[in-house]
Amino acid sequence: MSIIAFIGLGHMGAGMAANLAKAGHDVRAFDLNGEAVARAVESGCTASASAADAVKSADCIITMLPAGAHVRAVYADAIIVHARKNALAIDCSTIDIESARAVAADAKAAGLRAADAPVSGGVAAASAGTLAFMVGCADQDFEAVDLMLQPMARASIHAGASGAGQGAKICNNMHLGATVIETCEAFVLAQKLGIEEQKFFDIASVSS
């Protein structure tokens, strides 16, 4: 069992923290939203008064925050200052590559092991523990990162060095977006050609 600080208990983070607690980890949870913290406690986590309080004795720190600015602030104000040496700092937020690399560099300079590990799968997968993680970290740290992610994951893939996880997420989203657009255009064309939508769906499902 590990002590895990989990910071950011929104739609995604709530389910992720709950699955870590369900796996037997001691999860110290924090969010600016008190109701979110209360729900995390109901799912087996322990409430922390602040992000700094959560990270102090943690073996692993996981952040799931809205944007790069939030991640930078939490790292600067809490993680870099208060985390113990050699703790594992994993950011699962979807943010810009520059921010991911910057916080990883700061974490490493402070004696921490850092990883960016954005996810794919949405809220349902976060609750079910079936997210896909795209991980950017040093080669020697991936095994430890993967072990921490397992209760939340159906897949955890090492994409490369710091920032590579965010890069892979951007490329994955680009691929997904292009596929959705193409699918919509194909259905519009089928409709114009007089093909029923369900008929075309049935055909596409067993062919292309």
Side-chain angles (χ1 to χ4, degrees), residues 3-19:
I3 299 174
I4 300 176
F6 201 106
I7 303 168
L9 303 166
H11 295 301
M12 297 292 291
M16 294 165 69
N19 281 314

Side-chain angles (χ1 to χ4, degrees), residues 55-80:
V55 308
K56 284 178 181 176
S57 58
D59 303 306
C60 176
I61 301 150
I62 297 177
T63 47
M64 189 59 161
L65 300 165
H70 304 99
V71 175
R72 285 177 182 259
V74 168
Y75 268 72
D77 298 340
I79 297 173
I80 301 300

Side-chain angles (χ1 to χ4, degrees), residues 3-203:
I3 299 174
I4 300 176
F6 201 106
I7 303 168
L9 303 166
H11 295 301
M12 297 292 291
M16 294 165 69
N19 281 314
L20 288 167
K22 191 185 300 180
H25 293 297
D26 179 359
V27 181
R28 315 283 175 86
F30 177 73
D31 193 283
L32 293 175
N33 185 329
E35 293 182 1
V37 176
R39 287 192 292 271
V41 171
E42 291 175 0
S43 67
C45 302
T46 300
S48 292
S50 66
D53 182 57
V55 308
K56 284 178 181 176
S57 58
D59 303 306
C60 176
I61 301 150
I62 297 177
T63 47
M64 189 59 161
L65 300 165
H70 304 99
V71 175
R72 285 177 182 259
V74 168
Y75 268 72
D77 298 340
I79 297 173
I80 301 300
V81 182
H82 296 288
R84 65 174 183 78
K85 300 296 182 184
N86 206 43
L88 193 60
I90 306 173
D91 179 44
C92 294
S93 318
T94 296
I95 61 173
D96 59 288
I97 296 175
E98 182 181 356
S99 291
R101 288 177 175 163
V103 298
D106 290 343
K108 290 171 185 176
L112 308 176
R113 295 171 292 158
D116 53 291
V119 305
S120 179
V123 176
S127 297
T130 56
L131 291 167
F133 288 84
M134 293 152 265
V135 182
C137 68
D139 291 345
Q140 65 269 23
D141 293 335
F142 179 68
E143 184 177 356
V145 173
D146 183 49
L147 184 64
M148 288 294 100
L149 298 179
Q150 283 178 10
M152 305 178 286
R154 63 177 169 81
S156 175
I157 300 169
H158 189 201
S162 295
Q166 297 295 345
K169 179 65 184 288
I170 291 170
C171 295
N172 184 66
N173 284 358
M174 178 181 178
H175 172 64
L176 174 62
T179 302
V180 169
I181 292 169
E182 183 279 329
T183 301
C184 292
E185 290 294 336
F187 271 89
V188 170
L189 178 59
Q191 188 178 51
K192 289 180 178 179
L193 294 174
I195 303 168
E196 293 180 13
E197 291 178 358
Q198 185 61 50
K199 294 287 187 184
F200 178 64
F201 175 82
D202 293 341
I203 292 167

